[in-house]
Amino acid sequence: MREIINLQVGQCGNQIGSCFWETISAEHGIDARGSYHGTSDYQRERLDVYYNEIDKEKYVPRAILVDLEPGTMSAIKASPSASLFKPDNFVFGTSGAGNNWAKGHYTEGAELIDQILDVVRREMESCDCPQGFQICHSLGGGTGSGLGTLLLSKIKEEFPSRLISTYSVLPSPKVTDTVVEPYNSILSLHHLIENADSVFCIDNGALFDICKRTLKLPNPDFVHLNGLISQVMSGVTCSLRFPGQLNSDLRKLSVNLIPFTRLHFFSVAGAPIVSKDSEKYVNSNIMELASQMFDPNNMMTACDTRKGKYLTAAAVFRGRNISTQDVDNQMHLLQSKNSTNFVEWIPNNIKTSVCDVAPSGLPVSGTFIANTTSIKGLFQRYATQFNQMYRRKAFVHWYLSEGMEEIEFTEADSNLRDLLMEYQQYEDATIDEAVGVAGGDDGEEDDDMGKEEEAVQ
């Protein structure tokens, strides 16, 4: 079985992770104690992807819960789903990271990393054929960003052939918790560019907008936000967990969504997203789902997809008796209608997959994963905020006092700016220029051939 190990780091990562486990446990018929009460063979067929079977009818999530302070762990241990998780897989410190990336990456995090890796190795040894890792964390604080990226680089070093996907909550201009968010974000993105295979970008600001505008919730809280995130995580992973007509896995998703190694940052959307009052007036068919999924207002990342171009995209549909022909026709129709929003030099750049099992309480649902150049607007904002502070060296002493070197700031900023240039380059590329834009020898050879032809003439 192609197993996946889930790591949840920091307060935000653990809250998202816990919500994810509640969602998929309900889908698989597993209660808060880990006992199986499913009604269909489908629910049990691929339980091994995310769960260890420790006894007949008893399943334990393949989850590792990490934090630098005990508060979050105490909350999980006091929750109804506490007995679902293996006690040995709770790894936590006592002092916290204090919203400081360097504290999570170098001092406090470095003291805890060997203990975490021991648990990771133990989980890996219990797998028959591990597919990879998924990491839930945020980039704005200290633990999720600092310890999360340290863990990412250590796992990449020790298990280079395994895929690592991250669900990363990015800082939002509307929901700001921390003054030093720009530093923590840029330093984290530097590591995500180099070490992660795929990054699903989620933005609290965009989630608040969806809750207020679409779900009509006057005062949304983090419970509502985590519910939206877990819905999308469930949709992204459903074809790993259930059989379907067109199946997918982490590697297939990566191969179809990542045209260039460094451009592996995805925007995500889910459907249906409707308010309680509107539920009975909405027709949940493929056309309605596809329309909602493509709607920029439903994107869980604060970037306008109309201001960039889709390099690639994936649409995952869930439900009984979904026609693959209807799905293909609808995707083709939407792509034709929005052809100016897709790069022309990647033909057929929407991958589709269909899963036979719908989520709990819904007849059909859809999840949209987009690799769009519009995400550069989000990164550009972080780069601008970073430079405004770093030019005055504001707050830098807190990072240097944890053993970090100043050159790391400039390296991280430079790496992100290179990424922004790459996104812009491929957005502007036309079908005739595509080879030249890719850079390297091919482009140089084309230039040389052009000069030779001119000389001959």
Side-chain angles (χ1 to χ4, degrees):
M1 188 51 74
R2 307 279 287 143
E3 297 96 345
I4 293 172
I5 294 170
N6 178 74
L7 296 114
Q8 40 203 67
V9 188
Q11 183 180 0
C12 175
N14 276 292
Q15 286 175 347
I16 294 168
S18 298
C19 202
F20 168 70
W21 286 113
E22 283 174 26
T23 303
I24 69 165
S25 292
E27 289 180 10
H28 284 280
I30 291 173
D31 67 14
R33 294 180 172 278
S35 301
Y36 175 75
H37 298 290
T39 54
S40 161
D41 290 340
Y42 280 160
Q43 291 175 294
R44 196 174 205 161
E45 194 174 317
R46 296 191 190 171
L47 265 175
D48 289 349
V49 172
Y50 277 103
Y51 293 85
N52 279 320
E53 186 174 5
I54 57 166
D55 197 3
K56 196 178 180 186
E57 308 289 321
K58 172 77 173 170
Y59 292 88
V60 174
R62 203 174 279 107
I64 301 168
L65 300 85
V66 178
D67 203 357
L68 287 176
E69 55 189 6
T72 310
M73 298 300 162
S74 301
I76 293 172
K77 286 175 180 176
S79 70
S81 58
S83 55
L84 190 62
F85 301 105
K86 192 190 293 186
D88 291 349
N89 286 14
F90 286 83
V91 186
F92 55 92
T94 53
S95 55
N99 291 327
N100 186 335
W101 184 90
K103 213 171 176 63
H105 199 84
Y106 286 112
T107 49
E108 303 297 337
E111 288 177 17
L112 208 61
I113 193 69
D114 289 335
Q115 197 180 336
I116 301 165
L117 289 172
D118 284 342
V119 181
V120 171
R121 289 185 200 105
R122 193 168 63 239
E123 286 293 337
M124 283 292 279
E125 283 164 12
S126 70
C127 298
D128 293 330
C129 181
Q131 185 176 167
F133 302 87
Q134 73 178 34
I135 299 175
C136 303
H137 67 142
S138 71
L139 303 191
T143 305
S145 63
L147 180 54
T149 51
L150 175 63
L151 189 52
L152 175 68
S153 57
K154 292 287 185 185
I155 288 173
K156 193 70 179 174
E157 193 179 298
E158 192 157 334
F159 308 102
S161 61
R162 304 296 171 216
L163 288 175
I164 305 174
S165 64
T166 75
Y167 292 86
S168 305
V169 178
L170 304 174
S172 159
K174 297 176 183 174
V175 191
T176 302
D177 305 307
T178 314
V179 176
V180 289
E181 269 179 356
Y183 286 164
N184 295 338
S185 304
I186 297 287
L187 292 165
S188 300
L189 284 167
H190 176 48
H191 285 266
L192 288 172
I193 293 168
E194 300 302 326
N195 296 318
D197 293 296
S198 54
V199 179
F200 296 89
C201 300
I202 297 155
D203 185 308
N204 277 341
L207 294 174
F208 268 110
D209 284 346
I210 290 170
C211 286
K212 287 182 175 176
R213 185 177 51 237
T214 312
L215 297 178
K216 305 287 191 292
L217 298 170
N219 299 303
D221 57 23
F222 285 111
V223 174
H224 297 115
L225 269 58
N226 293 342
L228 285 172
I229 296 170
S230 67
Q231 180 186 332
V232 163
M233 288 177 73
S234 165
V236 171
T237 61
C238 71
S239 53
L240 318 176
R241 300 181 286 113
F242 296 112
Q245 301 165 58
L246 294 170
N247 261 321
S248 181
D249 62 23
L250 283 182
R251 197 167 292 279
K252 281 183 189 173
L253 266 179
S254 298
V255 166
N256 285 281
L257 282 173
I258 303 170
F260 307 102
T261 313
R262 285 161 59 86
L263 310 190
H264 54 247
F265 294 87
F266 307 142
S267 300
V268 289
I273 298 177
V274 288
S275 64
K276 289 283 183 194
D277 296 338
S278 305
E279 266 178 1
K280 52 180 175 283
Y281 301 105
V282 175
N283 184 9
S284 291
N285 54 27
I286 299 301
M287 187 171 76
E288 180 64 33
L289 288 178
S291 169
Q292 268 207 17
M293 282 154 55
F294 262 89
D295 186 349
N297 291 329
N298 283 345
M299 281 289 171
M300 296 187 184
T301 317
C303 59
D304 189 344
T305 51
R306 292 165 296 199
K307 293 181 179 174
K309 288 192 174 181
Y310 291 106
L311 296 169
T312 52
V316 183
F317 291 90
R318 301 180 66 180
R320 273 250 176 247
N321 305 318
I322 290 179
S323 162
T324 53
Q325 188 174 354
D326 286 353
V327 168
D328 290 340
N329 290 343
Q330 202 56 48
M331 289 295 106
H332 181 70
L333 188 67
L334 277 167
Q335 192 169 350
S336 303
K337 201 185 291 183
N338 301 286
S339 57
T340 54
N341 292 338
F342 288 84
V343 294
E344 57 185 357
W345 41 272
I346 303 179
N348 308 318
N349 46 1
I350 298 184
K351 171 184 167 50
T352 57
S353 65
V354 178
C355 173
D356 294 337
V357 182
S360 304
L362 290 170
V364 288
S365 77
T367 305
F368 188 58
I369 308 161
N371 191 344
T372 168
T373 61
S374 62
I375 204 164
K376 71 182 186 297
L378 199 65
F379 296 156
Q380 182 63 62
R381 188 172 70 241
Y382 301 150
T384 304
Q385 291 171 344
F386 173 89
N387 278 305
Q388 286 169 347
M389 282 166 48
Y390 188 66
R391 202 180 299 138
R392 303 277 184 275
K393 298 289 189 288
F395 304 104
V396 168
H397 63 285
W398 292 110
Y399 292 77
L400 301 185
S401 66
E402 300 295 333
M404 187 174 157
E405 293 182 10
E406 207 167 308
I407 193 169
E408 287 187 60
F409 283 102
T410 50
E411 281 176 357
D413 182 43
S414 173
N415 198 9
L416 187 69
R417 291 193 177 279
D418 288 346
L419 184 73
L420 290 171
M421 284 172 63
E422 286 171 54
Y423 272 117
Q424 191 62 53
Q425 207 174 21
Y426 292 120
E427 183 182 319
D428 296 340
T430 63
I431 198 162
D432 301 322
E433 297 171 350
V435 175
V437 169
D441 299 337
D442 292 346
E444 289 165 17
E445 282 173 19
D446 287 352
D447 292 345
D448 293 341
M449 284 170 67
K451 287 171 187 171
E452 283 172 21
E453 283 173 14
E454 285 173 18
V456 169
Q457 288 169 358

